[in-house]
Amino acid sequence: MQPSNYQGPKSPAKTWKRFWVAMAVALSVIAIVLVAVSFGMRFWAAAQKPSLDEAYRYHFERPPVGKTTQDLEREIAFYQERIQRDLTGGLDSAALARAYLKMARASGEIHWYLLAEETAQRSLANLPYNNEGAQLVLARVAEARHDFTAAIHILESIPYNDDALAIKVSSYSAMGKIDEADQAAKALIDASPTLLSYALQALVNLAQGKDDEAIRNFERALSVEEPGETASSVWARTLFGRLYAKHGRLELAREFYQEALRILPQYQLAIVNLAELELRFQQYDAAWTHFSQIFVIARGNPTIYDHTALRGMARIKLLRGDTAGASELWDKAEAVMRRDIKNFGHRRELARLLLERGRPEDLSEALSLMEEEIKIRRDAETLDTYAWVLSRAGRSGEAQQAMHEALRWGVRDPVLFYRAGLIEKTLKNESQAQAFFKSVSEIDPGFDEHARQALGLGL
């Protein structure tokens, strides 16, 4: 039975006419779409093509998005299955602990560090001797916790090892033992002249104020990079970019960060550095988007970058005149750091937040935090923070001593020089103050009031 509005069979001529009209419309739409797609692809390609010098670009095939995490998930599953068949296997537990650690460093998620530590301890309980793999994991986790003395102590029982030397470089640097860090870096390069070893030497050079030598070592690092060391490749470029940011070469810094993210789009260290750079450019929407990415990437899991992102977002609110919004985000960042402080020792970062927020009632806690922190960490940034809180407390003479120690190795940092100048000014040492301010303008001519606000220096 036909429906009531049925009008009989359509004529073949009308049917074909409608068909060709429909085809013409469809082809027109397809043509428009293809043109748009072609234009979009050209635009995307242009946006993806880095303007960075050819020597600094990544010349290997980039891993597909998510591949690093997927590979680590498979590695973790493999060793978990092996351990289920033999719960007393010390070597398998050490391998699983290393996989957890790699996942922690790739994702920034805190629980992977805790799993790595727990698994390494279990491995050593099952295999107390000749188990360097588990010991190195514990040393790396201690370093991540900012317990540098413990990291060095663990390494004392390990014979010569490239990984051990790398941990020594970063741990000694954080402890303010720059001579020891330099010796370890040179030994590492002699044994293994790789991207990682040259980049670590560059960091020591920066602590020594040898910025030109640091640039040369970063260049050496990128000249010897190999496929398969993607994590080190993006890390080195991010640090290279940070060097140029400190020297006011902001566009070049941005290109390094973008190149790192072209290689690994979810690399969180480059994301937060790029976000902070956008604040200098007054690109607040872009900065907010980058900071927000940290929480999207982690899918709600706590990471070591959460407090940095929240503090950056608070700074954006403040720069836009929204003090209530800034206060709310500072409170969230504070809650995150207090949650993690037992496991990851964010004392310096919490003190900086309290100082940046500027509430008088927070000053005594900030001072207590830094008095504890300098017992274990005496690098230039830590001593600068200690000088900051001493200065706020009206203890300018002690602040001056802290800044002298921060600068004793020769580090060239506009932030440190500017604070040193303010302290000298407070002490009425006008000539010394002006000398420091002159050094600031020589290093970064754009280090103006906005730059200081964008960096959250509370100056």
Side-chain angles (χ1 to χ4, degrees):
M1 182 176 178
Q2 303 294 347
S4 58
N5 60 351
Y6 179 70
Q7 298 177 354
K10 298 178 174 64
S11 83
K14 288 183 178 180
T15 300
W16 280 107
K17 183 178 180 180
R18 289 177 180 175
F19 171 78
W20 286 116
V21 168
M23 282 295 291
V25 171
L27 288 171
S28 298
V29 171
I30 290 171
I32 293 169
V33 170
L34 287 175
V35 169
V37 168
S38 176
F39 174 79
M41 288 298 289
R42 287 198 302 273
F43 178 81
W44 181 87
Q48 293 296 308
K49 183 180 179 181
S51 57
L52 200 62
D53 186 281
E54 187 71 18
Y56 303 147
R57 291 180 55 189
Y58 188 71
H59 297 285
F60 306 107
E61 183 178 355
R62 291 172 290 156
V65 175
K67 183 178 187 301
T68 301
T69 302
Q70 292 166 4
D71 289 346
L72 286 172
E73 287 172 347
R74 283 193 289 270
E75 184 178 351
I76 287 168
F78 173 79
Y79 285 111
Q80 285 175 334
E81 184 179 353
R82 285 178 65 95
I83 289 169
Q84 286 301 314
R85 294 200 296 265
D86 180 11
L87 297 177
T88 62
L91 293 178
D92 284 337
S93 293
L96 179 59
R98 284 196 301 274
Y100 284 145
L101 179 63
K102 287 189 284 186
M103 182 66 89
R105 300 179 78 181
S107 68
E109 294 176 16
I110 290 172
H111 72 278
W112 292 114
Y113 283 103
L114 303 180
L115 278 172
E117 181 180 45
E118 178 186 341
T119 308
Q121 290 170 339
R122 186 167 62 246
S123 172
L124 283 168
N126 292 336
L127 185 63
Y129 305 104
N130 300 321
N131 194 350
E132 294 175 12
Q135 289 175 296
L136 285 168
V137 169
L138 290 179
R140 279 292 185 194
V141 174
E143 179 189 36
R145 290 180 182 276
H146 304 158
D147 192 350
F148 306 107
T149 303
I152 296 296
H153 177 70
I154 292 168
L155 298 176
E156 288 174 355
S157 59
I158 298 177
Y160 178 86
N161 181 286
D162 287 357
D163 289 338
L165 281 173
I167 297 170
K168 285 182 178 180
V169 175
S170 51
S171 294
Y172 280 136
S173 295
M175 296 165 73
K177 297 183 176 182
I178 305 303
D179 281 344
E180 289 89 337
D182 192 40
Q183 291 169 10
K186 285 181 168 59
L188 182 58
I189 288 175
D190 289 342
S192 182
T194 63
L195 182 153
L196 176 63
S197 57
Y198 282 121
L200 286 170
Q201 179 67 75
L203 293 182
V204 176
N205 295 147
L206 290 174
Q208 297 168 322
K210 300 176 181 177
D211 292 14
D212 290 341
E213 185 63 26
I215 290 172
R216 285 191 288 272
N217 274 312
F218 275 128
E219 289 173 341
R220 291 181 184 116
L222 298 184
S223 71
V224 298
E225 74 178 332
E226 298 178 355
E229 53 181 357
T230 313
S232 294
S233 293
V234 294
W235 173 75
R237 284 175 173 82
T238 303
L239 297 181
F240 208 169
R242 186 185 294 174
L243 184 161
Y244 282 116
K246 283 186 180 295
H247 283 263
R249 299 185 63 182
L250 305 185
E251 289 291 354
L252 183 54
R254 175 188 268 168
E255 289 174 4
F256 272 106
Y257 298 151
Q258 289 174 336
E259 179 69 359
L261 292 171
R262 188 180 71 88
I263 303 166
L264 284 182
Q266 295 186 334
Y267 185 58
Q268 295 179 51
L269 182 61
I271 290 171
V272 296
N273 276 271
L274 181 57
E276 289 170 351
L277 192 67
E278 296 294 1
L279 289 180
R280 289 283 303 267
F281 284 115
Q282 301 187 47
Q283 298 296 318
Y284 300 140
D285 288 340
W288 185 276
T289 298
H290 293 315
F291 282 129
S292 300
Q293 278 183 273
I294 298 300
F295 306 103
V296 174
I297 292 168
R299 304 178 305 280
N301 295 320
T303 79
I304 58 175
Y305 298 102
D306 289 355
H307 66 86
T308 304
L310 288 167
R311 285 172 58 202
M313 294 165 85
R315 209 169 299 143
I316 294 170
K317 291 284 189 181
L318 192 66
L319 288 164
R320 284 178 157 167
D322 184 359
T323 53
S327 180
E328 181 181 347
L329 286 163
W330 272 324
D331 289 346
K332 288 181 179 179
E334 180 183 357
V336 166
M337 281 187 272
R338 293 192 187 282
R339 178 197 69 197
D340 298 336
I341 201 166
K342 181 181 292 186
N343 287 322
F344 283 87
H346 293 313
R347 285 179 293 268
R348 183 180 75 189
E349 289 71 21
L350 179 55
R352 292 184 71 86
L353 180 146
L354 297 176
L355 291 165
E356 183 181 355
R357 187 165 60 186
R359 297 191 319 203
E361 61 267 29
D362 292 335
L363 186 58
S364 61
E365 183 184 7
L367 180 58
S368 297
L369 287 165
M370 290 312 302
E371 286 173 342
E372 286 299 310
E373 187 72 357
I374 61 169
K375 293 176 183 177
I376 60 171
R377 185 156 52 160
R378 298 188 77 92
D379 60 351
E381 186 176 353
T382 303
L383 289 162
D384 168 63
T385 307
Y386 187 43
W388 182 1
V389 69
L390 288 169
S391 181
R392 281 278 181 88
R395 295 160 59 176
S396 299
E398 293 171 80
Q400 182 192 51
Q401 293 175 8
M403 286 309 305
H404 282 175
E405 185 178 351
L407 298 171
R408 74 193 186 281
W409 295 107
V411 63
R412 293 178 55 76
D413 187 317
V415 172
L416 273 65
F417 284 161
Y418 194 85
R419 197 180 313 280
L422 290 180
I423 292 168
E424 295 296 343
K425 196 174 181 67
T426 301
L427 292 169
K428 312 229 182 282
N429 298 326
E430 194 63 34
S431 60
Q432 292 94 322
Q434 292 307 315
F436 279 122
F437 294 147
K438 182 181 178 183
S439 295
V440 171
S441 61
E442 289 172 350
I443 298 169
D444 181 358
F447 195 80
D448 56 12
E449 183 179 355
H450 168 73
R452 296 189 288 275
Q453 290 174 342
L455 293 168
L457 302 179
L459 298 171

